[in-house]
Amino acid sequence: MTGSIWLPPGASSDTLPGVPKQRPSPSWAEPDPIDELAERLDEFVAAAVHPDEIAALLESDGMSDDQIRERYGVKNSFALAEELYERVDRRFPEPDGPVHDPWQVGLLGCLLRGVVFALPGFGYVLGAPLLAGRPESFGLPSGTLPLLAGALVGWTWNQGLAHRAYSWLGLGDKPAARHSLLIGAPLGALLGAAVALAAAGTAHPAAVAFAAGQSCYLGAATVLLVMGRERALLATLLPMTAGAVVAMAHEIPDAARLALLLGSLLAVVTLALLEVLPGGLAVKARGAVFDLRLPPRERAQPQRTRSQKTTMSPRLTASLPFALFGFSSGALVLYAALGDILAGQTHSAAAAPAAVALTLSMGPAEWLLYRFRSGSLTGLRNSRTPKAFWRTTGQTLTLCLTTYLAALTALTLLATTLWPHTPGINAVSLTALLLLGMVLWTGLLLQSFGAVIGAAAICCAAAVAQTLALLTHAAGPHWIALFVNGTAALVQAALVCGLLGRVTAHR
C-alpha cells in the first residue's frame, strides 16, 4: 500500500476521484433487529464481562437457534451474543447502597483473641515452683521436655481438629462440628499426655501431671475458640492470671498455686463439654459468658439417622497440612522463646518477652489479615487490568505487613521493659523475631489463599533446618534463627507475590 493512487487516463494528478456516497436507508426500511435487541438489553450487555453471559441470558429467555437464524440472521445464540457484545460499550455500574464487605471485623474482637492466646502463659509462672529440680539437657529448666513435647503435640493435633470443625461449620452442619470436637479434643489430650509421659525420663511426676493438664487445656480451649466463645474462655483465665501477677511480686503457698491452676482448668473443660455435649447446656450468644440456656426444641426437623449422611463430608486428609503447619510454626516459636537459654544465658526469664510478644501479636495479625482481604476485595472491584489489581493488592500487602511488624516490635520492647529480671534484647534477636513474625503472618495469608501445602512445607523445612543446626552447633542460636527465619520469610514472600495477581486466590 505504498504506491500512488490509481487515476483514470486523462485525469489531472492534482485532483482525486470522487468517492460515491452511500445511499441512505429508505424510510420504509425496517431497523436492524440486532440494534433493537441491543437497545432493549443495554444495561445487561454493558455490564457483561464475556459474551457467554449474554448467550446464557438469551437461552434463558427461550430463544432457539432456529428463531435466532430466522429473526437476526446469525448462526446461533453465541454468534448473536458476540454481536451484542461488540455493539454495546462496556459499562460497569456501581451497586446501589453500600457495598457488602464480608471481611469487615472489629479490632477489639481480634485483640481479645490475642489476649486469650497469651494468658495461659501465666500458668507456667504459677507452676514454676512445682517443677523445681535438676536442669535437663541443653540447659533447659527441670520438667521442660515433657511440657514442650506435650505442647507440640497439642498444637499439631488441635490445628488439624480446628480445621475439620471449621469445615463442618462451613458446610452448615453445626452438630457435625460439635461431634468432631467432642471426639477429637479428648483424643488430642490423651495423645499429648502420653507423649509428655514418654518424654519425661527422670523428670518429676509433677511435671508430667502439669503437661497432662496443659494438653487438656489445649483441647478444651480449641473447642471454645472454634465455637466463638472467646469471652467465656477469658473469664475462666482471669482468676489464674490475677494469681500469677500476685505470685510474681510476692510468694504464695503451693496449695494456692495448685488451686488456681486446677480451678481454671476445670472451668475451661466444663464449658467446653457443655458446648459440645448433645442436648447439654450451651453458651448460645456469641462471646457470652454466663448465658447458659437449654437448646431450642427441634420437633419440626427430622431426626438424623444412619441413612441420612452429608453428601459433602470434608476429607480427613484435608486437615493434615494445617496440622503440619501448626507443628512447624510451634517449633519455630519454641526455638525463639528458648533462644537465650540455648545460648547459655542463666536468666530463664529472657525467653519470656519473645513468647509473650509473639502470642499477643496474633490478635493484630488476625485483624490485619481481614484488612488485607477487605482491601483486595476493593482492589478487585476497582481495578480494570490484572496489572492494576496486582499493584493494588501489593500496596495493601505492604501496608498490612509493615503494620504487623511495627506492632510486634512495640510489643517486644514493651514486654522486655516490663518483665522483671530480663536483660535487654539485642539487634540480632529482635531481627530474628521480626522475621519469624513475617513467616507466621505470611503463612496465615497463604492459608487464606488456599496454599496451605506450600506454607506447611516451607515452615516444616525451616523447623527441620533449625533443629539440625542447633544439634550440630553450626552457629549461635540467635544467628541460626536469623538465617533460617530470613530464608523462610523470603521464600514465603515470593510465593505470596506469585499469588497476588490471581483473582481466584482472593475468593
Side-chain angles (χ1 to χ4, degrees):
M1 298 300 291
T2 57
S4 60
I5 299 178
W6 178 85
L7 297 176
S12 175
S13 60
D14 57 352
T15 61
L16 294 176
V19 179
K21 296 182 179 180
Q22 295 182 353
R23 295 180 181 179
S25 300
S27 58
W28 48 264
E30 296 183 359
D32 187 354
I34 298 182
D35 288 338
E36 287 185 336
L37 183 62
E39 183 178 356
R40 182 163 60 90
L41 303 177
D42 179 75
E43 292 186 4
F44 182 86
V45 176
V49 297
H50 194 275
D52 287 352
E53 293 185 49
I54 307 172
L57 176 66
L58 297 176
E59 293 176 354
S60 66
D61 285 344
M63 289 188 183
S64 64
D65 290 343
D66 293 337
Q67 293 174 338
I68 290 174
R69 280 193 294 268
E70 180 181 353
R71 187 179 305 174
Y72 301 103
V74 294
K75 184 179 180 181
N76 50 33
S77 61
F78 292 98
L80 179 58
E82 291 178 358
E83 284 286 341
L84 294 173
Y85 189 81
E86 292 178 358
R87 297 190 184 196
V88 179
D89 296 332
R90 305 271 70 73
R91 298 190 309 275
F92 302 100
E94 292 293 332
D96 298 332
V99 180
H100 174 64
D101 187 355
W103 302 108
Q104 289 289 345
V105 296
L107 175 60
L108 184 60
C110 295
L111 294 179
L112 176 63
R113 290 175 69 89
V115 172
V116 168
F117 294 154
L119 287 184
F122 285 100
Y124 299 102
V125 177
L126 285 175
L130 305 177
L131 306 176
R134 295 179 301 174
E136 296 182 354
S137 304
F138 305 101
L140 297 175
S142 176
T144 304
L145 287 180
L147 289 178
L148 295 182
L152 280 177
V153 172
W155 291 338
T156 304
W157 181 274
N158 290 305
Q159 280 286 329
L161 177 62
H163 173 263
R164 182 160 181 82
Y166 278 126
S167 299
W168 280 116
L169 292 175
L171 294 174
D173 197 342
K174 198 169 185 178
R178 286 176 170 165
H179 180 74
S180 64
L181 291 171
L182 178 62
I183 300 300
L187 288 178
L190 289 176
L191 181 61
V195 172
L197 179 61
T202 59
H204 194 276
V208 180
F210 194 94
Q214 172 187 258
S215 299
C216 293
Y217 170 80
L218 290 175
T222 299
V223 172
L224 295 177
L225 290 173
V226 169
M227 303 307 294
R229 308 298 181 232
E230 294 89 352
R231 295 186 181 182
L233 181 58
L234 176 64
T236 61
L237 294 175
L238 288 179
M240 182 268 296
T241 303
V245 172
V246 173
M248 293 173 66
H250 306 282
E251 285 292 332
I252 62 175
D254 291 346
R257 295 173 182 266
L258 187 60
L260 288 171
L261 290 173
L262 291 178
S264 292
L265 177 61
L266 181 62
V268 174
V269 172
T270 301
L271 286 178
L273 287 175
L274 293 177
E275 185 63 37
V276 297
L277 280 177
L281 297 174
V283 188
K284 293 299 178 184
R286 177 175 177 83
V289 179
F290 299 111
D291 186 15
L292 302 178
R293 313 172 190 172
L294 288 173
R297 296 182 179 180
E298 300 180 353
R299 295 177 179 176
Q301 299 182 4
Q303 297 294 326
R304 294 178 61 91
T305 62
R306 293 180 180 269
S307 60
Q308 294 176 332
K309 296 182 179 180
T310 304
T311 57
M312 295 180 60
S313 176
R315 294 178 293 108
L316 285 173
T317 54
S319 301
L320 181 60
F322 293 88
L324 292 177
F325 180 81
F327 172 79
S328 55
S329 59
L332 294 176
V333 171
L334 288 180
Y335 283 138
L338 300 175
D340 293 317
I341 298 177
L342 296 175
Q345 297 187 15
T346 56
H347 297 280
S348 61
V356 171
L358 273 174
T359 309
L360 286 174
S361 71
M362 289 298 101
E366 182 179 353
W367 183 76
L368 288 169
L369 281 173
Y370 280 106
R371 295 306 304 161
F372 172 78
R373 297 306 298 268
S374 177
S376 64
L377 183 63
T378 302
L380 181 62
R381 185 170 58 249
N382 298 331
S383 301
R384 292 294 179 264
T385 63
K387 185 176 181 180
F389 175 66
W390 190 93
R391 183 169 58 251
T392 301
T393 53
Q395 293 173 354
T396 306
L397 172 65
T398 303
L399 177 62
C400 292
L401 182 57
T402 304
T403 304
Y404 170 68
L405 294 180
L408 179 57
T409 302
L411 289 172
T412 303
L413 296 178
L414 181 63
T416 304
T417 303
L418 297 180
W419 203 271
H421 312 297
T422 302
I425 187 170
N426 55 54
V428 176
S429 300
L430 179 60
T431 304
L433 185 64
L434 293 179
L435 289 173
L436 177 57
M438 182 176 175
V439 170
L440 297 178
W441 196 83
T442 53
L444 295 175
L445 181 59
L446 287 173
Q447 288 189 30
S448 68
F449 281 170
V452 62
I453 295 179
I458 294 170
C459 288
C460 284
V464 171
Q466 190 163 359
T467 302
L468 294 177
L470 289 172
L471 291 177
T472 58
H473 304 284
H478 297 307
W479 287 103
I480 292 175
L482 180 65
F483 178 77
V484 171
N485 295 339
T487 303
L490 288 176
V491 175
Q492 288 196 164
L495 184 57
V496 168
C497 291
L499 294 173
L500 277 182
R502 294 186 183 181
V503 176
T504 54
H506 299 265
R507 62 184 184 274

